[in-house]
Amino acid sequence: MRGGEDPDAWPESACTNKIVAGRYFAEGPAAYGEDIADRDSLSPLDTDGHGSHVSGIAAGREYDYNGIEGHFGIAGVAPMAHLSAYKACWDIPRYSQVLCYPRDSIAALEAAVADGVDVVNFSVGGSTDTYRDAVDLAFQNAAAAGIFVATSVGNRATASDALSHPVPWMTTVAATRYRTDGGPSATVAPSSSRGPANVPTRQQTILKPDIGAPGVDVFSALSRGANGEPDWYYKSGTSMASPHIAGLAALQLKLHPRWSPMAVKSSMMTTANRYANEKSNAPFAGGAAAILPARMLAPGLVLESRQRDWTKFLQTPSRGYTLNAPSLQIPQLPGDAPLQVVRTLTNVSEGPLTYTADFTGPSTLGATVTPRRFTVGPGASIDVTISVRNRGLGVADWQHGWLRWSAADQNDVTIPVVARGAVTQAEVTAQRWAGANRYETAAAVSTKFTEEVDTVYLSSGTHFADALSASPIAAKGMVPDLDRPPGNPAPILLANNGLPRATVAALDRLQPSRIVILGGKKAIPASVEQDLMTQGYAVTRVGGANRYETSARLASAYRPGVPVVYVASGDDAAFPDALSGASLAALKGGPILLTRSDSVPSAVAEALRDLEPERVVVLGGTSRVSAAVYAELGADERIAGKNRYDTSAKIARRFATPAESVFVANGRTWPDALAGSVVAGSQGSPVVITEGNALSGPTREALTNLAAANIVVLGGTVAVSPAVEAAARAASR
């Protein structure tokens, strides 16, 4: 790597009233032992012209061009906007290409958020086969902070896995080209990547790309020439399309500074202009349609979503079509009955508007809206129900139509509707996460964490109560007593008077930066803590005088105003209620507290006061948590069944169906469920319990209702027999 910074390449004078900041981020190459090419510059300087070209498109100032192309005025989309440059991509000699390391992209984005930018353009490829890519998740935080994000869809139309950034909080842009004879009609560039996203069939619920913008032979600045004047050239690709949308977002936010990023995105998509041919009008090619700036400034109605909606989407991507997006994509329509979804439309005009809905599409795809005609006042919202019906779609055939709301003297509000006939149901898959004992099972579960693990929780393998409240916190990567945002999900490993071999091997593999010990020194002795510190781990112990105080301390990881707190009995015989509720708590964004069955411990009462929850939900019947304790807690609801299996089944009903996965564990031996519930919670999947040798009636019913494509059995065949595994698969069909 080139040594030191390159201050001459980016002097202080490079920052002007136009370019207000320049930063660079280069930890990625160093972390992988890579050099940066000598022709590159360890500074914010753009040495290959890509960043300059893209920036000029989005916000280049007005310029009187006089060169080989002629003499004319030129300007970016938002010429009065300020620019901040964040360099996170580097020329790597070993690969003979420019690479953008995720850690640098994330660091650059975090700096942009801290600097208070309004719009981010990210003309960089990304993950194609997951909604949980680390960079895309970082952009979710930016969008939640009110920043509009435009990004490129990719430039490999012939590859089946080429579409980048399939997530709903980013505006993913296809490249269009326009007729050169003066006609305004657009088509999608042949090289622009197509949808659908390369995710499992059931999860193909988010339409991508979102919209099209000019991306062929775009004329913009490249770099500063020897005479101090800009060099100019044509470039093509979705990298050039994305900054058109970013610049337009800046203009929209100048006009409507209080609008959310998704309101801006909606204004663009719902007012877009149809392409010149049907091949381009296929939503997987060009999204909603081609951007039409004049209409986007007066959209009439917008559809919005926020971080809580995106979190819910990530928990159950198969129901992503319920997201309040300006498009509707349904991967599997029922054979005959209509599938219904709700969209919320908000009037952003200055007066009341009356709209009428109509749908155009093939005879095999039907869509109706209720109410078909409505009036909505300025600033007000209305919910409409969209019913989509399969009228003869072939198996696995995608078809599309257009749902339009029209009002007098207003631009139409149009969203694409994309649906597919019922795909033949695949065989329900089952997998078993198990080791020879509870310690090996926990270690085996820890291999299922797909994101980088920075924290590991360590619990006693014989005294489980301290860990019961940790599962929903670990699923969100939260650590009590540390003032830091949530991180990646954190596995729970088990210990005893020492560190079992399986636990040591798991720690060596995971290499966490922090270990959180659960419970006091009777649960995990000080010698274990000292051993870990000697090995160089940063160790935090979260424990109280008893399981109730430990529970309260763990809950302090949450900020006041949580949406819900779940309370379960801390009695040994009642552990299954807390275990089944752990993944639900993670799903709903609240902690689990433990209580005595006949009284509320003072630490728990104090924790409830500090948390200021919107709701308190008790898990288990009155034999577990008495009516008097329910009243003392100020509880709003009780989820309870006739026994532990029935209670677990009732908790499972709070999850969306169909579920992606269901975790099945023994209802009497709990360490396996304890380790597995963290993964379940991070995925938004339920944990149901069963007898080891027979599938209980409530559990069977729960599995049938959840209709999951995948069953995960926690523990070995002694804990959950092969017969129970087979019965669970059969119930899920």
Side-chain angles (χ1 to χ4, degrees), residues 168-214:
W169 49 85
M170 301 170 79
T171 301
T172 309
V173 189
T176 63
R177 60 182 178 184
Y178 291 79
R179 291 170 55 181
T180 58
D181 59 1
S185 58
T187 56
V188 177
S191 61
S192 187
S193 296
R194 265 65 170 171
N198 184 35
V199 295
T201 297
R202 293 154 63 105
Q203 296 183 10
Q204 291 176 336
T205 55
I206 300 298
L207 176 63
K208 290 290 173 172
D210 292 301
I211 198 166

Side-chain angles (χ1 to χ4, degrees), residues 25-58:
F25 304 86
E27 290 187 3
Y32 287 88
E34 299 292 350
D35 293 327
I36 292 177
D38 289 340
R39 59 179 172 270
D40 206 336
S41 170
L42 195 58
S43 76
L45 182 68
D46 170 26
T47 57
D48 72 353
H50 183 275
S52 300
H53 197 271
V54 165
S55 298
I57 295 169

Side-chain angles (χ1 to χ4, degrees), residues 41-416:
S41 170
L42 195 58
S43 76
L45 182 68
D46 170 26
T47 57
D48 72 353
H50 183 275
S52 300
H53 197 271
V54 165
S55 298
I57 295 169
R61 62 179 175 83
E62 294 181 356
Y63 183 77
D64 184 43
Y65 175 82
N66 190 6
I68 59 174
E69 299 299 326
H71 185 193
F72 48 82
I74 191 171
V77 177
M80 299 301 292
H82 300 294
L83 276 171
S84 293
Y86 301 88
K87 183 177 178 180
C89 302
W90 302 96
D91 192 338
I92 306 300
R94 182 147 70 108
Y95 299 103
S96 300
Q97 61 179 312
V98 175
L99 298 180
C100 308
Y101 291 84
R103 67 177 61 194
D104 293 333
S105 296
I106 293 171
L109 179 62
E110 290 175 345
V113 173
D115 288 346
V117 304
D118 299 301
V119 176
V120 168
N121 181 75
F122 192 62
S123 287
V124 176
S127 176
T128 64
D129 59 0
T130 179
Y131 294 123
R132 291 181 173 271
D133 173 72
V135 176
D136 286 351
L137 290 176
F139 276 109
Q140 180 191 166
N141 295 331
I147 298 171
F148 179 93
V149 180
T151 189
S152 50
V153 74
N155 303 308
R156 292 195 301 153
T158 58
S160 61
D161 61 348
L163 183 145
S164 294
H165 311 297
V167 293
W169 49 85
M170 301 170 79
T171 301
T172 309
V173 189
T176 63
R177 60 182 178 184
Y178 291 79
R179 291 170 55 181
T180 58
D181 59 1
S185 58
T187 56
V188 177
S191 61
S192 187
S193 296
R194 265 65 170 171
N198 184 35
V199 295
T201 297
R202 293 154 63 105
Q203 296 183 10
Q204 291 176 336
T205 55
I206 300 298
L207 176 63
K208 290 290 173 172
D210 292 301
I211 198 166
V216 176
D217 291 335
V218 180
F219 192 67
S220 182
L222 279 179
S223 61
R224 189 169 294 280
N227 61 357
E229 291 297 306
D231 287 334
W232 303 82
Y233 201 66
Y234 295 96
K235 277 182 173 288
S236 297
T238 56
S239 284
M240 287 66 245
S242 179
H244 280 89
I245 295 299
L248 288 169
L251 295 178
Q252 187 71 287
L253 288 169
K254 179 68 174 178
L255 187 64
H256 303 288
R258 296 183 180 274
W259 279 18
S260 71
M262 295 302 99
V264 174
K265 177 179 178 177
S266 176
S267 73
M268 296 177 175
M269 291 178 63
T270 61
T271 61
N273 199 37
R274 297 282 181 87
Y275 296 103
N277 59 49
E278 285 308 302
K279 185 176 180 180
S280 294
N281 278 321
F284 289 149
I291 185 70
L292 191 59
R295 286 207 303 233
M296 81 169 199
L297 297 175
L301 302 174
V302 296
L303 298 91
E304 296 195 72
S305 61
R306 300 185 185 277
Q307 187 168 31
R308 63 179 179 271
D309 307 302
W310 307 327
T311 300
K312 186 176 180 180
F313 158 73
L314 287 174
Q315 290 163 345
T316 316
S318 60
R319 290 182 58 81
Y321 53 79
T322 64
L323 187 75
N324 197 49
S327 60
L328 175 56
Q329 181 168 308
I330 303 170
Q332 296 189 67
L333 280 173
D336 46 14
L339 188 148
Q340 295 185 332
V341 297
V342 174
R343 288 292 191 264
T344 301
L345 306 169
T346 301
N347 181 353
V348 291
S349 73
E350 297 181 353
L353 298 174
T354 299
Y355 281 91
T356 302
D358 66 86
F359 175 76
T360 57
S363 60
T364 49
L365 180 65
T368 58
V369 183
T370 306
R372 182 170 179 267
R373 183 179 174 85
F374 62 82
T375 299
V376 59
S381 300
I382 185 169
D383 289 345
V384 297
T385 300
I386 304 171
S387 298
V388 183
R389 184 185 294 272
N390 180 0
R391 290 178 171 166
L393 290 178
V395 173
D397 286 343
W398 288 102
Q399 297 200 38
H400 68 271
W402 307 91
L403 187 58
R404 180 182 61 184
W405 287 271
S406 302
D409 301 320
Q410 295 290 321
N411 293 314
D412 288 345
V413 177
T414 305
I415 68 171

Side-chain angles (χ1 to χ4, degrees), residues 589-681:
I592 284 184
L593 290 171
L594 302 181
T595 183
R596 294 187 176 90
S597 60
D598 57 355
S599 64
V600 179
S602 59
V604 174
E606 183 178 351
L608 276 173
R609 288 193 293 269
D610 291 341
L611 289 167
E612 301 176 3
E614 296 177 13
R615 300 174 68 248
V616 175
V617 178
V618 167
L619 303 174
T622 54
S623 64
R624 305 299 196 194
V625 179
S626 69
V629 169
Y630 182 94
E632 187 178 351
L633 291 168
D636 302 279
E637 183 185 4
R638 184 191 294 270
I639 304 176
K642 298 175 182 178
N643 52 41
R644 64 187 64 188
Y645 307 107
D646 199 18
T647 295
S648 178
K650 283 182 166 56
I651 291 172
R653 291 178 186 172
R654 304 303 175 100
F655 289 80
T657 57
E660 294 296 321
S661 297
V662 174
F663 290 71
V664 179
N666 189 295
R668 298 191 182 276
T669 57
W670 306 305
D672 298 334
L674 178 67
S677 64
V678 179
V679 183

